[in-house]
Amino acid sequence: MPGAYSIIENTWITLPDGRRLSARIWMPAGEGAFPAILEYLPYRKRDGTAPRDETTHTVFAAEGYACVRVDISGTGDSEGVFDDEYSEQELSDGEAVLEWMAAQNWCDGNIGMIGISWGGFNGLQLAFRRPQALKAVVSVASTVDRYADDIHYMGGCLLSDNANWGSQMFAYQSRPADPVHRADWREDWIKRIEEMPFMAAEWLRRQVRGGFWKHGSVCEDWPAIQAPVLAITGWADAYVNAPSALAANLTAPAKAMIGPWEHRYAHIAKLDPADFHGEVLRWFGKWLKGEETGAEELPDYRIFMQEHFNPSMQNKPRQGRWVAEAKWPSPNVRDRVMFLGQGTLGDQPVAGTLAISSPATLGRAGGYFCPGMRYDNELAGDQAEDDRLSACFETAPLAEPLELLGRPRVKVAFSVDKPVAQLVARVCDVSPEGVSQRITYRPLNLTCRNGFEAPEKLVPGERYEAEIELNECAHRLKPGHVLRLALSTSYWPIVWPSPEAAEVMLHLEDSSLVLPERFVTEEILPQNPGAPRDYPVLKAEQLRNASGRSKTWTREDGALVLDTFDDYGKAVDPFHGMCVGSHVAMHYEVHPDDPATAAFASDWTFEFERGGWQVSIDTENKVTCDRENFYLWRKVTAYEGAEKEVAVTKEWRETVPRGVL
């Protein structure tokens, strides 16, 4: 039966060079040594992830695990200077944290790592380095390839979230340590701001898949990971490719699960929440405690097989069922080749050409890149209007169900009229009523047709071939529905547009869609998670509720504008009394006839107070471009006291050549 636990609000982990990292510990009741769970993040245990931590580590501690939540160096209350995501400093510090945990008298030397997104990344990355104490990993919404499948680039194309995420990290890193734990908080705060790296500009300079991105990409050496890995994500999340890749390629025990969820732990998802705790406890029970939980006997790949549900940008229940594949890759999945014709998908090649040239505004129904990070209004909606502006190829209404599982591939022969061009592929399920639901998508920078390490500009008029491997999907199309492939030269605001409008000429006789079609005569038990179990929630005093809004409109000059505002609320923590509030406004715009007018801006505000201590931070960010360069600007102003006296203000400007973007 679950037991009680105690909380150590703050303890210091001293690193070999003398820096101290701040940790919060949930300790199981009773005497002796326990297996431990580490979550290692830059998002501030004191306030940033405190509500989520209350729903996870309390449950695991009550089940007999010592849970340790650590702030990365230079974040939260931890000492030092933050340098970049997944840096050598972060990972070597992580190894030191694991060694420190294993040496404590309350730890039996068996440690697992858990995390979503950042914590999911560095759990895999630390396993790659084989620290002795790390015995198992639960990695949620992560990546195995930092260039191919993170928030910066996709298919060699720049994602607008490179700027967005850079602006968010800029705001996050501007926050001060808690004076309760850091007497030097003000000096450290000023230093954090003054020495903060301009990460959005640095990431933008790294436009090809070189050593910068290979560092931390565990796909570089699959056998290096020896700890068992449970990889989880959701179809509404941006990070859908890692679980199946890990299940297919790791030599260590690896299991994959993809549910309907957005970018959240499954038990707190807005989309069909599920028993995340049970999955974690079964995995760690086997690999940390040596219990017979059946974790090793799970199917390699458990999947929520989606069906058409009339998509909207608001959160709503998914349609589908759970299935499983005992082994992955599965003999139940085989390629089905369909050839592109004049608006058709057929069984035989068709001669001819077809020109594709899209307005830069195409993509407005694509939703937010990573749903789960905004308040709402972030999911992909009905693609019909974007389809109308695309080159579409479709089947006749299906006589039988068609089930897809894996990564579709689009093979194209093409020529272009510009040296830099994109091609974006979307596979959609179109209902008899004409509602188009996006099943999967992916762009390709056509200069990367031969790989992402050495892109080559295109010669107008010359004939080329390329392949787009779309993102992982699981979808069952019903009889009467139509499968549609939509191709476009833009997908804004998810993908930053090419420097100028381009026309891609398809040579149809050598262009095809390869579908991963699933045939199963008898399903195995999917062993899917049930409904979420009861879990504690942080009983914070809410001073301002969370809310959000989103507006898309057309300016008088014809530019399409998207304005969003997300207020994450304001609340008082019941453990330490700190009051924290935050909100962000984001702005995207582009003119349909000129991709070089693309622009992004965001303004973040944080406010902190307790007793007589009061600080706030405003950050502003802008990214614009022309055909030759990107122009980045950011500014932070930090205030103290009720009168908001300026403590420090600083601006940065960077110009980054476009290269092949």
Side-chain angles (χ1 to χ4, degrees):
M1 292 292 292
Y5 59 88
S6 59
I7 298 176
I8 302 171
E9 276 294 320
N10 191 73
T11 195
W12 296 105
I13 300 172
T14 303
L15 300 173
D17 65 1
R19 281 176 296 126
R20 299 184 305 164
L21 301 186
S22 177
R24 191 182 193 207
I25 302 175
W26 291 256
M27 192 65 66
E31 300 295 328
F34 306 96
I37 298 172
L38 169 64
E39 190 167 15
Y40 178 50
L41 295 171
Y43 301 145
R44 300 171 61 93
K45 63 177 175 55
R46 194 72 162 154
D47 50 81
T49 63
R52 187 180 77 196
D53 295 343
E54 186 72 6
T55 74
T56 54
H57 296 304
T58 54
V59 176
F60 303 143
E63 295 283 351
Y65 295 90
C67 297
V68 182
R69 170 67 181 83
V70 177
D71 287 338
I72 287 171
S73 184
T75 73
D77 295 330
S78 289
E79 296 176 348
V81 175
F82 178 84
D83 54 357
D84 200 356
E85 56 183 17
Y86 324 120
S87 67
E88 178 58 30
Q89 172 183 274
E90 174 186 331
L91 298 180
S92 60
D93 288 354
E95 290 179 293
V97 168
L98 289 165
E99 185 176 354
W100 176 88
M101 290 171 61
Q104 303 307 299
N105 59 13
W106 43 259
C107 180
D108 68 5
N110 295 302
I111 302 173
M113 285 192 71
I114 188 174
I116 179 171
S117 201
W118 197 303
F121 280 45
N122 65 26
L124 293 175
Q125 292 162 0
L126 280 164
F128 186 88
R129 298 161 76 103
R130 301 184 185 178
Q132 184 176 359
L134 183 56
K135 304 296 174 60
V137 172
V138 176
S139 181
V140 182
S142 60
T143 187
V144 299
D145 189 328
R146 292 183 56 218
Y147 181 80
D149 280 313
D150 194 8
I151 208 160
H152 311 293
Y153 298 91
M154 184 187 292
C157 298
L158 176 68
L159 296 171
S160 65
D161 259 56
N162 185 78
N164 181 17
W165 178 238
S167 73
Q168 188 167 344
M169 283 301 295
F170 177 43
Y172 280 11
Q173 297 313 111
S174 299
R175 299 175 292 182
D178 189 337
V180 169
H181 295 311
R182 294 285 299 276
D184 65 340
W185 72 271
R186 191 181 189 280
E187 176 187 351
D188 179 72
W189 185 32
I190 302 301
K191 183 178 180 180
R192 286 184 182 187
I193 292 173
E194 293 285 355
E195 299 185 10
M196 192 182 313
F198 199 163
M199 288 183 287
E202 182 64 21
W203 300 329
L204 187 51
R205 282 190 284 268
R206 311 281 189 164
Q207 296 177 9
V208 300
R209 192 180 184 278
F212 179 85
W213 300 112
K214 291 179 182 180
H215 168 79
S217 292
V218 301
C219 63
E220 292 295 302
D221 183 6
W222 295 107
I225 294 181
Q226 296 182 346
V229 174
L230 173 61
I232 302 172
T233 193
W235 293 122
D237 204 307
Y239 295 93
V240 296
N241 295 322
S244 62
L246 289 161
N249 292 289
L250 287 189
T251 55
K255 304 295 180 182
M257 181 172 70
I258 304 185
W261 316 298
E262 75 276 27
H263 195 71
R264 296 171 184 262
Y265 284 142
H267 66 291
I268 54 174
K270 295 179 180 179
L271 302 174
D272 302 328
D275 183 15
F276 175 68
H277 300 97
E279 296 294 326
V280 175
L281 292 169
R282 173 164 50 186
W283 196 250
F284 286 157
K286 169 63 180 178
W287 304 112
L288 301 187
K289 291 185 175 182
E291 299 172 346
E292 294 302 319
T293 66
E296 73 279 19
E297 302 299 330
L298 286 169
D300 277 4
Y301 195 9
R302 292 175 289 158
I303 315 107
F304 183 76
M305 181 66 65
Q306 297 193 108
E307 293 184 356
H308 200 286
F309 50 77
N310 288 340
S312 73
M313 300 189 79
Q314 287 74 45
N315 295 306
K316 59 184 288 188
R318 313 284 96 170
Q319 299 293 321
R321 75 190 197 284
W322 281 91
V323 300
E325 294 292 343
K327 299 296 180 185
W328 189 256
S330 171
N332 297 326
V333 178
R334 64 196 79 164
D335 286 347
R336 177 177 177 180
V337 180
M338 307 186 81
F339 295 94
L340 277 58
Q342 295 290 345
T344 61
L345 289 170
D347 295 330
Q348 299 295 326
V350 174
T353 58
L354 191 147
I356 305 173
S357 184
S358 312
T361 49
L362 189 151
R364 62 190 296 177
Y368 191 62
F369 170 73
C370 192
M373 299 178 70
R374 291 190 52 221
Y375 178 76
D376 204 345
N377 302 301
E378 55 181 354
L379 301 175
D382 183 355
Q383 303 288 294
E385 180 61 23
D386 284 339
D387 292 352
R388 188 182 66 80
L389 300 172
S390 307
C392 290
F393 310 85
E394 55 190 49
T395 66
L398 298 173
E400 301 290 339
L402 173 62
E403 199 157 277
L404 307 178
L405 178 59
R407 300 187 66 172
R409 307 190 309 279
V410 176
K411 298 181 179 182
V412 292
F414 67 95
S415 53
V416 295
D417 65 346
K418 299 292 191 300
V420 177
Q422 303 169 351
L423 192 62
V424 184
R426 288 175 290 120
V427 173
C428 300
D429 175 352
V430 185
S431 72
E433 296 75 27
V435 177
S436 179
Q437 178 176 327
R438 192 181 73 195
I439 297 172
T440 180
Y441 78 102
R442 198 165 178 92
L444 177 64
N445 182 336
L446 295 174
T447 69
C448 299
R449 62 199 175 277
N450 295 320
F452 301 107
E453 296 189 23
E456 298 176 350
K457 288 193 175 182
L458 301 150
V459 177
E462 188 167 324
R463 187 181 186 280
Y464 300 100
E465 293 186 355
E467 180 174 295
I468 307 173
E469 185 179 35
L470 280 71
N471 296 317
E472 185 81 6
C473 69
H475 192 92
R476 179 182 183 271
L477 291 92
K478 302 174 186 177
H481 285 229
V482 165
L483 182 128
R484 175 181 290 166
L485 170 66
L487 298 178
S488 61
T489 55
S490 57
Y491 202 49
W492 175 259
I494 289 178
V495 179
W496 199 277
S498 296
E500 52 187 333
E503 181 181 84
V504 175
M505 184 68 69
L506 283 189
H507 302 272
L508 296 175
E509 67 275 9
D510 292 314
S511 298
S512 59
L513 169 64
V514 183
L515 296 172
E517 188 170 7
R518 181 175 185 260
F519 297 89
V520 178
T521 55
E522 186 175 350
E523 297 279 9
I524 64 173
L525 288 175
Q527 300 192 48
N528 54 291
R533 63 184 62 191
D534 291 335
Y535 55 84
V537 295
L538 190 68
K539 295 180 174 61
E541 180 187 358
Q542 296 295 324
L543 303 183
R544 187 177 74 237
N545 291 328
S547 63
R549 58 182 183 268
S550 181
K551 179 182 179 183
T552 301
W553 53 285
T554 302
R555 220 168 38 210
E556 288 185 2
D557 64 359
L560 184 72
V561 178
L562 169 62
D563 286 318
T564 69
F565 182 80
D566 291 285
D567 186 343
Y568 296 103
K570 187 174 184 179
V572 180
D573 188 283
F575 289 101
H576 50 70
M578 185 188 294
C579 176
V580 182
S582 65
H583 56 77
V584 57
M586 292 186 286
H587 173 89
Y588 302 82
E589 66 173 75
V590 70
H591 193 282
D593 301 328
D594 187 358
T597 60
F600 167 79
S602 73
D603 299 330
W604 278 85
T605 295
F606 276 96
E607 48 192 343
F608 301 86
E609 55 190 80
R610 185 202 293 114
W613 179 68
Q614 187 171 337
V615 299
S616 61
I617 305 113
D618 290 331
T619 61
E620 304 168 74
N621 306 262
K622 293 180 183 178
V623 179
T624 59
C625 64
D626 54 29
R627 293 182 179 181
E628 289 76 37
N629 298 296
F630 294 99
Y631 305 97
L632 296 87
W633 172 85
R634 68 180 188 177
K635 179 181 179 181
V636 59
T637 306
Y639 304 93
E640 287 185 276
E643 301 301 318
K644 296 190 69 170
E645 296 181 5
V646 175
V648 62
T649 186
K650 186 174 180 178
E651 292 185 45
W652 294 257
R653 295 181 186 273
E654 292 274 358
T655 298
V656 179
R658 291 193 72 135
V660 295
L661 296 177

